[in-house]
Amino acid sequence: MTKNSFGHLFRVTTFGESHGPALGAVVDGCPPHLPLDEEYLSKEMEQRRPGTSPASTTRMEPDRVEILSGVFEGLTTGTPIGLLIRSTGARPKDYDHLRSVFRPGHADYTYFKKYGIRDHRGGGRCSGRETAARVAAGGVAGRFLEREKIEVHAYTLELGGVRAESFDLDNVDSSPFLCPDPDASALMTERVEEVKAAGDSLGGIVEVRVSGAPPGLGEPVFGKLSAYLAYAIMGIGAVKGVEIGSGFHAAKRLGSENNDPILPDGFASNNAGGILGGISTGQEIVLRAAVKPISSIAIPQDTIDQEGRPTTIQVEGRHDISAVPRIVPVMKAMVRIAIADMVLMQRALQG
Amino acid sequence: MTKNSFGHLFRVTTFGESHGPALGAVVDGCPPHLPLDEEYLSKEMEQRRPGTSPASTTRMEPDRVEILSGVFEGLTTGTPIGLLIRSTGARPKDYDHLRSVFRPGHADYTYFKKYGIRDHRGGGRCSGRETAARVAAGGVAGRFLEREKIEVHAYTLELGGVRAESFDLDNVDSSPFLCPDPDASALMTERVEEVKAAGDSLGGIVEVRVSGAPPGLGEPVFGKLSAYLAYAIMGIGAVKGVEIGSGFHAAKRLGSENNDPILPDGFASNNAGGILGGISTGQEIVLRAAVKPISSIAIPQDTIDQEGRPTTIQVEGRHDISAVPRIVPVMKAMVRIAIADMVLMQRALQG
Amino acid sequence: MTKNSFGHLFRVTTFGESHGPALGAVVDGCPPHLPLDEEYLSKEMEQRRPGTSPASTTRMEPDRVEILSGVFEGLTTGTPIGLLIRSTGARPKDYDHLRSVFRPGHADYTYFKKYGIRDHRGGGRCSGRETAARVAAGGVAGRFLEREKIEVHAYTLELGGVRAESFDLDNVDSSPFLCPDPDASALMTERVEEVKAAGDSLGGIVEVRVSGAPPGLGEPVFGKLSAYLAYAIMGIGAVKGVEIGSGFHAAKRLGSENNDPILPDGFASNNAGGILGGISTGQEIVLRAAVKPISSIAIPQDTIDQEGRPTTIQVEGRHDISAVPRIVPVMKAMVRIAIADMVLMQRALQG
Amino acid sequence: MTKNSFGHLFRVTTFGESHGPALGAVVDGCPPHLPLDEEYLSKEMEQRRPGTSPASTTRMEPDRVEILSGVFEGLTTGTPIGLLIRSTGARPKDYDHLRSVFRPGHADYTYFKKYGIRDHRGGGRCSGRETAARVAAGGVAGRFLEREKIEVHAYTLELGGVRAESFDLDNVDSSPFLCPDPDASALMTERVEEVKAAGDSLGGIVEVRVSGAPPGLGEPVFGKLSAYLAYAIMGIGAVKGVEIGSGFHAAKRLGSENNDPILPDGFASNNAGGILGGISTGQEIVLRAAVKPISSIAIPQDTIDQEGRPTTIQVEGRHDISAVPRIVPVMKAMVRIAIADMVLMQRALQG
């Protein structure tokens, strides 16, 4: 559960750089007898595909997932599922001018400090492109959760300061920002156009809701469900904050306001966000992530090169205005994987 | 890295219930040749000791740490360090009336759902008392960080809506709330007394700062330093949110505001909170946790018992008004352990 | 699953040096609702207690196990079980002459090379005494396996070249060597007395049999049940070889001899030792370990001290002639823990 | 460190079935700045390629390794290295008659019992073909060990009862059985032809020697270097026993024979096989594995089908007479990976 692997019993390992030949994932520990095919997985990739939102770049990436192993006659077999996504839009030459310059807000500087070498092309391993492998793996987890009758929904709660006020999840897919509130979505379009014109970028908040999760998920003390979900979500690039239930708002409340009374037919409220003492209550699990504005902006910024000399950078070309809509399916994927893993962990205990 | 163990190379395993005979920790992977004795560790325990703050219970717990192994003639040997803290103030009978009632906001309900059995005495394993073992283990990590010239500071940033505005860390220990701002500390006292009189409780925000951490800490993709710290912090009871650097505030900012320009002599600002792309930049690492108000309040609350029958609970006796001051040293301990672990991980890479 | 922890879901962490204040274990992941008390565990310790066999030292070590956590009203609760064994016979002064000398065949040299510091008293962490914590933890695993109707038996198959020919397990406990063959046991006594008089020591072979294990245990590829058991057994000091089923004998056989035909009512033979493709078949699991002769002998041996100067060592005092009888309960403990862990792993899969 | 992943800091995850579209490995944690290209890796695959020995099948498998990530301009970058081996000789139809029959000695029965579903084509995941991914990953480890000046050699020590008596490693590659003794190699040819004519198969013993390993490798107690190597080797299909140094022979020896005296210029002998107390001594590390005769034989064998009905099986077609020569490079690969991992573990400690 570190580096490029995530999960204990349902474990995902990913690899691949932005402009390398391919990205991929190995899903180890997936239960057998689940239906899985390339059609389904490629469909799962649709939501993260850019070019469908004004906040996104227009680069085309028709991601097709190839299943290399672990599936026999349409069913998972319990052996590791190898997933491959060939890169098609790779144009490494576009990045030659960034070979020795550190882009502010990006991981260029830190990867260089950590490894002493880096693949500068499009961010290499720390590109948002890396998340394609997570979404594919999340699709596999989704198949398992379907059988368990657990559903994970993610959407944009806030973008550039515009916050959703209505939450009909049927509206999410039709919004270019994956926002459930059509009015907010319209305002987001305005805000994005405005900021795009200024060459700047925007942050926002993504919310995830898990319904159908049984009580008992999560491990005691260090391995709390809340801790594990925070780990899953903070491991997504550009995420700078995570909260569960009433979250940071709880810091300002009284106990009498924040406690959820328990009635014979269930909890009277859900300030806990479905998690008490690090273990799921059986209620809806609710969490939010703060996403910083995208670091690549068209406004000139001060930086240095690999030799420490000062220079100025102005990122041009195809770049997203906000990472938010693209992070929505990634958060969904990570939460699916984490919940699938915790369901298996709890199953081992109960037997 | 789950359940009751934390860490990869510097790994801590804890055990113990609130009213059992003892709590303890095993610290495995601690480098050899570090000075360690019981005097030092018992001193480390002082800060978490209740009864020093108006927000804390008055129960006396003079925690004394016994070193059972891993130290020879005052130096660590590289073998696992067994730490034991005997319980002295245990009064299990005080909890007989809670045997079959689920306290709202506590983990009583979820532990019962998870395990089908629970030690109801003072919350059992999910009591705040469990953190004593973490603080002892964090003291061991502290010895290692000392040698690495890395310092971890934690303090109360906000309590009951009162926020610190000045940050002289020399003031922390003299504040009953471990708050660096004496004026805020005075206001916190007022707020706490007020809420105490009403039988209610308060939440708040704890901030941690790590100075001296080298660039390069943190693992790529899933194992980002930010993710790992979020995992460490969210694994503390009562924490409902974590943020790094500009955190949730970043969600409302423009890229041009949030990016930290890089100059030949370092970063011009630190909105990143010392972490870019999940890897430390070499700047100060800054993170905050939202702590919910303590669930045990003297106001009657609706709940149910183990058979699902409705009842009312009103928690009396010695209880904290806020978990915040007691969580300060726990957060410090968890961050120390996490950073120690990541230093060892990076060392393996560089060799 | 490294250093001082063993297991994935049923995980044991141990600590303690030969002549330190205490040894202990934390058993994390033990299922709830199992009966457990100190009486039972202390009884489990009996078999490894020396002084009952002519091959063993006469030092008295009445090991008493204290349960520090994880048990409530006589039942396990699912939280970590802390086990403590206080040292009573510690006489560290006895080892002053070994402070800077490396005993041949012992880990003195390698611990010093690894850590640059070592607790020389009785071998410190690498003493056979360390296994007391394993046996206690194995007792906990035993409680779980009882409920699963899985039994683990271990005995001395060979000692000093004398091999058991009859296998009535009822004879094991009455043999000073834990050997099921009374005739072999008598010959072993002769051989041991002879070698003892010469100041020398003896090796041997321990066999373990697991009955009642269901088919399906073991993980594919790297985590084969055979691999996991080999890991468990080779992690015991003095073990230099492990084999499953026909083992090294299989290297000399034909496929037509070694294959086990499958009949409608089960396998016709068990050359596989109950494991095919790394997964249990449902037959008896059979494995053997080669134990080297004890390194401490009364015959003078060439060695060096910490400064590299040549010296001679002659180990006197209370020392075993063979590790074999004492390793029998340790092997049983390790196999119990490994099987318990694999049962939980398989349970997670089946759900 | 279970299922389809191996290693702590240098970690390999593999996937792929015998007759699926591809096999692959992800090598996570490989240090940066190592030269790596497809030419080198494909060359590493040569030794395991069948058809070069009379003991091997004649099926052609020109394994070509594609590097999908983790390498930039010919150097490793520290990010995960994705390796892909496309299947070319897959003829799944050849296995239709085995769809519901369990081959004796194979994992058909146990995989079905474990997962309730299996890919019957050529053994699926439990085919020897799976090891191609290990050899590719071992090649990556080899690059790291080169820089550390550590060499791993593997060869056939015994085949069908014929044992090598001379050990000039220069002879290994020219022997069809990868045996260092040309005379033994000639006798092996005779033995293989004889058994082949009878439709039977042969077992043997593979030996591995590691030179240049520094002292200090291996983790205490459960994670002994010997235990870890045993785990690595027993995780290879068909291996039924592992021994280190004098191994099972030690069980019959006296302490005075088996101890290695320590002289000022080093150990006087190496019965320990380079490992004392589970930690490397700095001497050559020597280990051996017992390989059972291949289960697929042309002689009719009793078995059952998936419905439990008795049937007879007679395996025809392209099959190896012994797994031994093909396991030689796999053992080398696994030991390389394990040693690379332990070098990184020790590096973290020393820093």
Side-chain angles (χ1 to χ4, degrees):
Chain A
M1 190 180 147
T2 187
K3 293 186 177 176
N4 300 281
S5 291
F6 181 92
H8 307 84
L9 293 177
F10 189 100
R11 186 160 47 178
V12 173
T13 300
T14 68
F15 61 88
E17 275 81 38
S18 179
H19 288 260
L23 293 151
V26 184
V27 181
D28 198 3
C30 182
H33 297 287
L34 297 169
L36 195 72
D37 58 44
E38 299 183 351
E39 210 53 49
Y40 161 78
L41 285 181
S42 297
K43 204 152 196 171
E44 285 289 305
M45 304 304 286
E46 287 287 298
Q47 215 187 28
R48 79 170 284 288
R49 191 176 155 195
T52 54
S53 144
S56 299
T57 144
T58 51
R59 181 154 72 109
M60 287 296 296
E61 292 172 80
D63 282 327
R64 181 94 209 149
V65 183
E66 188 185 358
I67 298 176
L68 299 174
S69 63
V71 176
F72 180 58
E73 299 181 342
L75 295 175
T76 60
T77 62
T79 62
I81 301 167
L83 302 174
L84 190 72
I85 304 165
R86 285 278 172 196
S87 298
T88 53
R91 282 187 287 173
K93 292 275 171 218
D94 289 9
Y95 296 89
D96 277 359
H97 64 292
L98 293 174
R99 174 176 279 273
S100 65
V101 176
F102 302 130
R103 294 168 300 162
H106 279 283
D108 299 349
Y109 177 81
T110 52
Y111 264 66
F112 184 70
K113 285 291 177 182
K114 182 173 189 70
Y115 299 111
I117 183 176
R118 70 189 174 96
D119 179 348
H120 67 281
R121 301 165 304 171
R125 180 70 180 146
C126 47
S127 159
R129 174 108 189 98
E130 162 264 317
T131 60
R134 305 192 192 203
V135 173
V140 178
R143 275 301 197 217
F144 171 60
L145 294 185
E146 255 172 49
R147 195 169 74 185
E148 302 293 309
K149 311 221 183 308
I150 298 172
E151 275 188 74
V152 179
H153 294 284
Y155 49 83
T156 297
L157 178 66
E158 190 179 308
L159 183 67
V162 181
R163 197 174 180 109
E165 306 278 335
S166 70
F167 297 93
D168 184 344
L169 297 182
D170 290 343
N171 294 329
V172 170
D173 283 342
S174 58
S175 158
F177 303 104
L178 303 172
C179 174
D181 178 344
D183 296 339
S185 194
L187 289 170
M188 287 172 187
T189 304
E190 282 176 36
R191 183 81 183 112
V192 161
E193 294 301 346
E194 186 181 297
V195 165
K196 193 182 218 163
D200 218 328
S201 66
L202 288 170
I205 297 175
V206 176
E207 189 164 77
V208 183
R209 291 173 179 271
V210 183
S211 58
L217 303 187
E219 298 296 320
V221 182
F222 302 116
K224 291 183 166 70
L225 181 57
S226 37
Y228 193 41
L229 290 171
Y231 178 74
I233 294 307
M234 277 288 226
I236 302 171
V239 174
K240 300 299 281 187
V242 181
E243 58 179 14
I244 312 275
S246 57
F248 272 86
H249 190 46
K252 296 191 190 300
R253 298 176 98 180
L254 296 169
S256 57
E257 294 169 322
N258 200 63
N259 281 352
D260 300 307
I262 320 180
L263 306 177
D265 54 352
F267 290 88
S269 53
N270 190 12
N271 291 310
I275 302 175
L276 275 178
I279 298 171
S280 66
T281 61
Q283 293 175 278
E284 196 175 46
I285 297 166
V286 184
L287 55 102
R288 283 173 296 282
V291 181
K292 72 172 183 178
I294 273 196
S295 304
S296 294
I297 54 176
I299 298 168
Q301 301 176 82
D302 286 330
T303 190
I304 58 172
D305 66 15
Q306 252 170 239
E307 278 69 44
R309 289 170 303 211
T311 180
T312 298
I313 194 168
Q314 185 173 357
V315 184
E316 292 179 61
R318 43 180 197 184
H319 282 286
D320 292 358
I321 296 307
S322 178
V324 169
R326 294 190 68 167
I327 279 183
V328 167
V330 182
M331 277 190 62
K332 179 178 168 180
M334 290 309 299
V335 171
R336 276 172 154 188
I337 294 167
I339 296 287
D341 190 37
M342 286 297 112
V343 168
L344 295 183
M345 290 291 277
Q346 177 63 0
R347 183 166 290 178
L349 189 76
Q350 288 176 319
Chain B
M1 190 181 147
T2 189
K3 294 185 177 177
N4 299 282
S5 291
F6 181 91
H8 306 86
L9 293 177
F10 190 100
R11 186 161 45 178
V12 174
T13 300
T14 69
F15 61 88
E17 276 81 38
S18 179
H19 287 261
L23 292 152
V26 185
V27 181
D28 198 3
C30 181
H33 296 287
L34 297 169
L36 195 71
D37 58 45
E38 299 182 351
E39 210 52 51
Y40 162 79
L41 284 182
S42 298
K43 204 153 197 171
E44 285 289 305
M45 304 304 286
E46 287 286 298
Q47 216 187 27
R48 77 171 285 288
R49 192 175 154 195
T52 55
S53 144
S56 299
T57 144
T58 52
R59 181 154 71 110
M60 287 296 297
E61 291 172 79
D63 282 326
R64 180 95 208 148
V65 183
E66 188 186 357
I67 298 176
L68 299 174
S69 63
V71 175
F72 181 58
E73 299 181 342
L75 294 175
T76 60
T77 63
T79 62
I81 300 166
L83 303 174
L84 190 73
I85 303 164
R86 286 277 172 196
S87 298
T88 53
R91 282 188 287 174
K93 291 276 172 218
D94 289 9
Y95 296 89
D96 276 358
H97 63 293
L98 293 174
R99 174 176 278 274
S100 64
V101 177
F102 301 130
R103 294 168 300 163
H106 278 283
D108 299 349
Y109 177 82
T110 51
Y111 264 66
F112 184 70
K113 285 290 177 181
K114 184 174 188 70
Y115 299 112
I117 183 177
R118 70 192 175 93
D119 179 349
H120 68 281
R121 301 165 304 172
R125 180 69 180 146
C126 47
S127 158
R129 174 110 190 94
E130 161 265 317
T131 59
R134 305 192 192 203
V135 173
V140 178
R143 274 302 197 217
F144 171 60
L145 294 184
E146 254 172 50
R147 196 169 73 187
E148 301 294 309
K149 312 221 182 309
I150 298 173
E151 275 188 72
V152 179
H153 294 284
Y155 49 83
T156 297
L157 179 66
E158 191 179 308
L159 182 69
V162 181
R163 197 173 180 109
E165 307 278 336
S166 70
F167 298 92
D168 183 344
L169 297 181
D170 290 343
N171 293 330
V172 171
D173 283 342
S174 58
S175 159
F177 304 104
L178 302 172
C179 173
D181 179 345
D183 296 340
S185 194
L187 288 170
M188 287 172 188
T189 304
E190 283 175 34
R191 182 81 183 112
V192 161
E193 294 301 347
E194 186 183 296
V195 166
K196 194 182 218 164
D200 218 329
S201 66
L202 287 171
I205 297 176
V206 176
E207 188 163 78
V208 183
R209 292 173 178 272
V210 184
S211 58
L217 303 187
E219 298 297 320
V221 181
F222 302 116
K224 290 183 167 69
L225 181 57
S226 36
Y228 193 41
L229 290 171
Y231 178 75
I233 294 308
M234 278 288 227
I236 301 171
V239 174
K240 300 299 280 189
V242 181
E243 58 179 14
I244 312 275
S246 56
F248 273 86
H249 190 47
K252 297 192 190 299
R253 298 176 99 181
L254 296 169
S256 57
E257 294 169 323
N258 200 63
N259 282 351
D260 300 307
I262 321 180
L263 306 177
D265 54 351
F267 290 89
S269 53
N270 190 12
N271 291 309
I275 302 176
L276 274 177
I279 298 170
S280 66
T281 61
Q283 292 174 280
E284 195 176 44
I285 297 167
V286 184
L287 53 102
R288 283 173 296 281
V291 181
K292 72 172 184 178
I294 272 196
S295 304
S296 295
I297 54 177
I299 299 168
Q301 302 176 81
D302 286 331
T303 190
I304 57 172
D305 66 13
Q306 251 170 239
E307 279 68 44
R309 290 171 302 211
T311 180
T312 297
I313 194 168
Q314 185 172 357
V315 184
E316 291 178 63
R318 42 180 197 183
H319 283 284
D320 291 358
I321 297 307
S322 178
V324 168
R326 294 190 69 167
I327 279 184
V328 167
V330 182
M331 276 190 63
K332 178 177 168 180
M334 290 308 299
V335 171
R336 275 171 155 189
I337 295 166
I339 296 287
D341 190 37
M342 286 297 112
V343 168
L344 295 182
M345 290 292 277
Q346 177 63 0
R347 183 167 290 177
L349 189 76
Q350 287 176 321
Chain C
M1 189 180 146
T2 189
K3 294 187 176 176
N4 299 284
S5 291
F6 180 91
H8 306 85
L9 293 178
F10 190 100
R11 186 159 48 177
V12 174
T13 300
T14 69
F15 61 88
E17 276 81 39
S18 179
H19 288 262
L23 292 152
V26 184
V27 181
D28 197 4
C30 182
H33 296 286
L34 297 168
L36 194 72
D37 58 46
E38 298 182 353
E39 211 52 52
Y40 162 79
L41 284 181
S42 297
K43 204 154 197 170
E44 286 289 304
M45 304 304 288
E46 288 287 298
Q47 217 187 27
R48 78 170 285 289
R49 191 175 154 195
T52 55
S53 145
S56 299
T57 145
T58 52
R59 180 154 71 111
M60 288 297 296
E61 292 171 80
D63 281 326
R64 182 92 208 151
V65 183
E66 187 186 358
I67 298 176
L68 299 175
S69 63
V71 176
F72 180 58
E73 300 181 342
L75 294 175
T76 59
T77 62
T79 62
I81 301 167
L83 302 173
L84 190 72
I85 304 164
R86 285 278 172 195
S87 298
T88 53
R91 282 187 288 173
K93 292 274 171 218
D94 288 11
Y95 295 89
D96 276 358
H97 63 292
L98 293 174
R99 173 176 278 274
S100 66
V101 177
F102 302 129
R103 295 167 300 163
H106 279 284
D108 299 350
Y109 177 81
T110 51
Y111 264 65
F112 184 69
K113 285 290 178 182
K114 183 173 189 70
Y115 299 111
I117 182 175
R118 71 192 174 92
D119 179 348
H120 67 281
R121 301 165 304 170
R125 180 70 181 144
C126 48
S127 158
R129 175 107 190 97
E130 161 264 316
T131 60
R134 304 193 193 204
V135 172
V140 178
R143 275 300 197 217
F144 171 60
L145 294 184
E146 254 172 50
R147 196 170 72 185
E148 302 293 307
K149 311 219 183 312
I150 298 173
E151 275 188 71
V152 178
H153 294 283
Y155 49 82
T156 297
L157 178 67
E158 191 179 308
L159 182 69
V162 181
R163 195 172 180 111
E165 306 278 336
S166 70
F167 298 92
D168 183 343
L169 298 182
D170 290 342
N171 294 329
V172 170
D173 282 342
S174 58
S175 159
F177 304 104
L178 303 173
C179 174
D181 178 345
D183 296 341
S185 193
L187 289 170
M188 287 173 188
T189 304
E190 283 176 34
R191 184 79 183 112
V192 160
E193 294 299 348
E194 188 182 293
V195 166
K196 193 182 218 166
D200 219 329
S201 65
L202 288 170
I205 297 175
V206 176
E207 189 163 78
V208 183
R209 291 172 180 273
V210 183
S211 59
L217 303 187
E219 298 297 320
V221 182
F222 302 115
K224 290 183 166 71
L225 181 57
S226 37
Y228 192 42
L229 291 170
Y231 178 76
I233 295 307
M234 277 289 225
I236 302 171
V239 173
K240 300 299 280 188
V242 181
E243 58 180 13
I244 312 275
S246 57
F248 272 86
H249 191 46
K252 295 191 191 301
R253 299 176 99 181
L254 296 169
S256 57
E257 294 169 323
N258 200 64
N259 281 351
D260 301 307
I262 320 180
L263 305 177
D265 54 352
F267 289 88
S269 53
N270 190 12
N271 290 310
I275 301 176
L276 275 178
I279 297 170
S280 65
T281 61
Q283 293 176 278
E284 195 175 47
I285 296 167
V286 185
L287 54 103
R288 283 173 296 282
V291 180
K292 72 173 184 177
I294 272 196
S295 304
S296 294
I297 55 177
I299 299 167
Q301 302 176 80
D302 287 331
T303 191
I304 57 173
D305 65 15
Q306 252 170 239
E307 277 69 44
R309 290 169 303 209
T311 181
T312 298
I313 194 167
Q314 186 173 354
V315 184
E316 290 178 67
R318 43 180 196 182
H319 282 285
D320 292 358
I321 296 308
S322 178
V324 168
R326 292 189 69 167
I327 278 182
V328 167
V330 182
M331 276 189 63
K332 178 176 168 180
M334 289 308 299
V335 171
R336 276 172 155 190
I337 295 167
I339 296 287
D341 190 37
M342 286 296 113
V343 168
L344 295 183
M345 290 291 277
Q346 178 63 2
R347 182 166 291 178
L349 190 75
Q350 288 177 320
Chain D
M1 191 182 144
T2 187
K3 295 188 177 175
N4 299 282
S5 290
F6 180 91
H8 307 84
L9 292 178
F10 190 100
R11 186 158 48 175
V12 174
T13 300
T14 70
F15 61 88
E17 276 81 39
S18 179
H19 287 261
L23 293 151
V26 184
V27 181
D28 198 4
C30 181
H33 296 287
L34 297 168
L36 195 72
D37 58 45
E38 298 182 351
E39 211 52 51
Y40 162 79
L41 284 181
S42 297
K43 203 152 197 172
E44 285 288 306
M45 304 304 287
E46 287 287 298
Q47 216 187 27
R48 78 170 285 288
R49 191 174 154 196
T52 55
S53 145
S56 299
T57 144
T58 53
R59 181 153 71 111
M60 288 295 297
E61 291 172 81
D63 282 328
R64 181 93 208 150
V65 182
E66 187 185 359
I67 298 176
L68 299 174
S69 63
V71 175
F72 180 58
E73 299 182 342
L75 294 174
T76 60
T77 61
T79 62
I81 300 167
L83 302 174
L84 190 73
I85 304 165
R86 285 276 172 198
S87 298
T88 53
R91 283 187 288 173
K93 293 273 170 219
D94 289 11
Y95 295 90
D96 277 358
H97 63 292
L98 293 174
R99 174 177 277 274
S100 65
V101 177
F102 300 129
R103 294 167 300 162
H106 279 283
D108 299 350
Y109 177 82
T110 50
Y111 264 66
F112 184 69
K113 286 288 178 183
K114 184 174 188 68
Y115 299 111
I117 182 175
R118 71 192 173 93
D119 179 348
H120 68 281
R121 301 165 304 170
R125 181 72 182 144
C126 48
S127 158
R129 175 109 189 95
E130 162 263 316
T131 60
R134 304 192 193 204
V135 173
V140 178
R143 275 301 197 216
F144 171 60
L145 295 184
E146 254 171 50
R147 196 169 73 185
E148 301 293 308
K149 311 220 182 311
I150 299 173
E151 276 188 70
V152 179
H153 294 283
Y155 49 82
T156 297
L157 178 67
E158 192 180 306
L159 182 69
V162 181
R163 196 173 180 109
E165 306 278 336
S166 70
F167 298 91
D168 183 343
L169 297 181
D170 290 343
N171 294 331
V172 170
D173 283 342
S174 58
S175 159
F177 304 104
L178 303 172
C179 174
D181 178 344
D183 296 341
S185 193
L187 288 169
M188 286 173 187
T189 305
E190 283 176 34
R191 184 78 184 113
V192 161
E193 293 300 348
E194 189 182 294
V195 166
K196 193 183 220 164
D200 219 328
S201 66
L202 287 171
I205 297 176
V206 176
E207 189 163 78
V208 183
R209 290 172 180 274
V210 183
S211 59
L217 303 187
E219 298 297 320
V221 183
F222 302 115
K224 289 184 167 71
L225 182 57
S226 37
Y228 192 42
L229 290 171
Y231 178 75
I233 294 307
M234 278 288 225
I236 301 171
V239 172
K240 300 299 280 189
V242 181
E243 58 179 14
I244 311 275
S246 56
F248 273 86
H249 191 47
K252 296 191 190 300
R253 299 176 98 180
L254 295 169
S256 58
E257 293 168 323
N258 200 64
N259 281 352
D260 300 307
I262 319 179
L263 306 177
D265 54 352
F267 290 88
S269 53
N270 190 10
N271 292 309
I275 301 175
L276 275 177
I279 297 170
S280 66
T281 62
Q283 293 176 279
E284 195 175 46
I285 297 167
V286 185
L287 54 103
R288 283 172 297 282
V291 181
K292 72 173 184 177
I294 271 196
S295 305
S296 295
I297 56 177
I299 298 168
Q301 301 176 82
D302 287 331
T303 191
I304 57 172
D305 66 13
Q306 252 171 239
E307 277 69 45
R309 291 170 302 211
T311 180
T312 298
I313 193 168
Q314 185 173 356
V315 184
E316 290 178 66
R318 44 180 197 182
H319 282 286
D320 292 358
I321 296 308
S322 178
V324 169
R326 293 189 69 167
I327 279 183
V328 167
V330 183
M331 277 190 62
K332 179 177 167 180
M334 290 308 299
V335 171
R336 277 172 156 189
I337 294 167
I339 297 288
D341 190 37
M342 286 297 112
V343 168
L344 295 183
M345 290 292 276
Q346 177 63 1
R347 182 166 292 177
L349 190 75
Q350 289 176 320

